[in-house]
Amino acid sequence: MLRGIPRKEWPQSLHWNWARKASPLHNLLGNPLSGVRLFGIEVGGEWQGLLLAECTGHRSRADAPSKEIVYIEYVETAPWNWPLPRIDQEARHRALGPQLFEMAIRWSMQLGFKGRISLHSLPQAEEFYRDHCQMTDLGLDPNYDELRYFELTEPNAKKYLSRRKP
């Protein structure tokens, strides 16, 4: 238990070591021809959220089988942006995940992938991707830690962007 919160209620990404995740990508991130992009939101000199995506080596399984798709490797907000009511912690900044998600959709569109994106979701985020983002749940992936695989189709990408006014 951490501050009276049972482990099963901790954010499932708490164990992620971002330095280890980013290290192999160091040379790719600065290369404009790379198929890897790191999107981030910075406020007051502090990173509030990050999304790492790649546009090579992934194909759609749902909307347009075998069409290219942007795959989200990681998306996370800073711990001070996690709403944790059990310890009276309010998020300093809200809606970072939806903003980062929009950046991935827009990159997919720039690439000609028509907004198609995909990811494997931690169980705590499944409802967000299915209900808020309108992603298609393609079930548990036995080849990826039994995490659920989701895809955003072209029509749902357009709907998502139409709901987010600039």
Side-chain angles (χ1 to χ4, degrees), residues 2-14 76-94 124:
L2 176 69
R3 296 178 89 185
I5 301 174
R7 186 173 182 84
K8 67 179 182 164
E9 294 180 31
W10 294 2
Q12 290 173 328
S13 60
L14 191 62
E76 185 60 89
T77 59
W80 50 86
N81 291 317
W82 297 339
L84 300 171
R86 299 257 327 247
I87 60 168
D88 296 323
Q89 176 176 305
E90 293 184 29
R92 283 191 216 165
H93 302 282
R94 296 183 174 268
Q124 288 175 336

Side-chain angles (χ1 to χ4, degrees), residues 125-153:
E126 291 172 1
E127 182 180 336
F128 171 77
Y129 293 120
R130 184 177 38 252
D131 300 342
H132 178 78
C133 299
Q134 305 269 306
M135 294 184 88
T136 302
D137 181 348
L138 295 173
L140 294 175
D141 187 342
N143 299 318
Y144 202 94
D145 298 328
E146 295 291 329
L147 295 178
R148 287 196 171 281
Y149 178 75
F150 287 87
E151 282 192 13
L152 185 68
T153 62

Side-chain angles (χ1 to χ4, degrees), residues 102 160-166:
E102 179 180 342
Y160 186 89
L161 293 178
S162 72
R163 291 192 325 252
R164 296 192 53 79
K165 302 293 181 207

Side-chain angles (χ1 to χ4, degrees), residues 60 63-64 67-70 102 104-118 151-161:
S60 175
D63 182 34
K67 296 278 184 170
E68 294 173 303
I69 196 164
V70 166
E102 179 180 342
I105 293 171
R106 292 194 184 282
W107 186 42
S108 172
M109 290 184 157
Q110 289 172 353
L111 293 166
F113 298 175
K114 301 185 178 187
R116 289 187 303 272
I117 60 175
S118 64
E151 282 192 13
L152 185 68
T153 62
E154 177 185 351
N156 285 348
K158 289 178 181 176
K159 284 181 195 173
Y160 186 89
L161 293 178

